[in-house]
Amino acid sequence: MDITAVIPSEVNKQAVALWSKAQTDSLLCVKYLTYLYLEDEEKDHIPPRRKRKIRQKRSCWSHDWLQRRKEFGQWENLLQELILEDRTSFRNFLRMDEDLFCELLESIRPRIEKQRTFWREPLEAGLRLSITFRYLATGDNYRSLSFGFRVPPNSISCIVYETCEAIIAEYMDKVIVCPSTAEEWKQVAKGFSRRWQFHHTVGVIDGKHIRMRAPSKSGSYYYNYKDFFSLVLLAVVDSDYKFMFVDVGANGATCDAQVFTNSTLHKALSNNQVRLPPENL
C-alpha cells in the first residue's frame, strides 16, 4: 500500500522522510549484525596462540661437585699422576704419549685458551685438550665425561667442537700434504718398495664409515650396509701411514666406487692434475 494515499497531503513529505529513515536504519542494523556474525566465525577458525613457557629461575649457577674440579677432576689429578708414575696408562687413557700431548697442547694453546674475566676463571687449555682426546678415543657421551672431568655437559659439547677446529686449522697444511710433482710421487713409491715390497705404488686408498646419529627426516640416506648410520671417510696414505688425501662427507648409503667417483681425487686424476710420474719410470 502506498503511504501517501493514507496520510494527508500536507504531511506527505515529512512522513515519507521518516519512513525512508526507518528503512535505512533497519538495513544498517542488518549489515552490522551480519558483520558481527562473520567476525565471530573467523575467530572460531583462528587457532589459539600457544602460551609462552615461563622460564624457571636457575636454582644455582654451578653445582658444588663441579666446583671441586681442582681437587678431584681427572685432568688435575689422575692425568698428572699418570705422567709422573705410569706413562703407559697415560697412553691408554688418551691414545697418545705424554710428549706428543704436550707438543699438541703448546701448538694450539693460543687457539683454545680463553681470556680470564672478573666473573669466572676459564677452563685450562690442557683440560680442554684432554677432554677432546678422551672423547675421540672412547666415543663416550658428554654426560659421562662430565662426571670424570667435572665439567658440565653443555660446556663439553662446545669444547670438543672448538678444539677439533683448532687442531684442523693448526695442522691441516702441515700433516696432510699431497705430492704435487713427479719427483715427490717417486719418493712415495720408493717408500712402498723399501718397506713393503710393493713396487710402482704411490698410495693406498680405502674408506671408513664414521658412525653418526641419523639427521631428522633423512630416512635411509645415511644407512649403510653394516646396519648403522654413517658418513664416509675416503683417505689415501703413504708407506708410513701418513695421510696424503682425505675426503669426508659422503652419505653412508653410497657405494665405494661412487664415493671415489665423486671425490676431488678422481677429478684430478681424470684431468691429469696429479702429475704422476710416467709409466716407464
Side-chain angles (χ1 to χ4, degrees), residues 12-161:
N12 280 350
K13 293 182 179 180
Q14 186 178 1
V16 171
L18 292 173
W19 180 263
S20 300
K21 186 176 183 302
Q23 288 182 329
T24 303
D25 293 341
S26 301
L27 291 174
L28 290 175
C29 290
V30 172
K31 288 182 179 180
Y32 181 70
L33 292 173
T34 303
Y35 170 77
L36 292 178
Y37 174 76
L38 294 176
E39 189 177 20
D40 291 339
E41 278 195 342
E42 291 179 357
K43 289 182 179 180
D44 292 339
H45 292 290
I46 297 176
R49 292 185 178 180
R50 294 182 179 178
K51 294 183 180 180
R52 179 176 293 182
K53 186 177 180 180
I54 300 176
R55 185 176 182 179
Q56 296 180 354
K57 292 184 179 180
R58 181 178 292 184
S59 58
C60 62
W61 183 259
S62 179
H63 295 288
D64 294 336
W65 64 274
L66 291 174
Q67 297 179 1
R68 291 190 289 269
R69 178 175 57 254
K70 292 186 177 180
E71 290 80 8
F72 304 105
Q74 288 183 343
W75 162 249
E76 291 80 3
N77 296 277
L78 175 61
L79 287 175
Q80 304 307 319
E81 292 176 357
L82 295 179
I83 290 174
L84 298 175
E85 301 174 6
D86 191 353
R87 294 197 172 188
T88 302
S89 297
F90 182 93
R91 178 182 177 86
N92 291 335
F93 189 82
L94 295 182
R95 300 294 193 272
M96 67 173 51
D97 295 327
E98 182 260 341
D99 295 334
L100 179 58
F101 178 84
C102 293
E103 179 183 344
L104 291 170
L105 177 59
E106 294 304 318
S107 299
I108 67 172
R109 183 186 296 274
R111 298 179 183 270
I112 63 176
E113 198 168 34
K114 301 299 181 179
Q115 184 178 3
R116 190 182 301 272
T117 63
F118 174 77
W119 295 103
R120 59 168 56 185
E121 184 178 353
L123 299 177
E124 299 178 19
L127 174 61
R128 291 172 172 271
L129 188 60
S130 61
I131 289 174
T132 302
F133 284 150
R134 183 62 179 172
Y135 171 77
L136 296 176
T138 63
D140 207 350
N141 58 63
Y142 296 152
R143 184 162 295 278
S144 178
L145 292 172
S146 69
F147 292 121
F149 289 94
R150 295 184 180 248
V151 177
N154 57 334
S155 298
I156 292 179
S157 64
C158 298
I159 288 171
V160 171
Y161 178 82

Side-chain angles (χ1 to χ4, degrees), residues 171-200:
Y171 288 99
M172 181 67 179
D173 297 332
K174 301 177 183 178
V175 177
I176 304 178
V177 180
C178 186
S180 57
T181 63
E183 290 299 324
E184 292 177 353
W185 285 112
K186 289 180 182 179
Q187 294 300 321
V188 175
K190 288 180 181 179
F192 279 102
S193 297
R194 181 181 64 256
R195 186 169 184 178
W196 303 107
Q197 289 75 51
F198 287 161
H199 308 296
H200 305 288

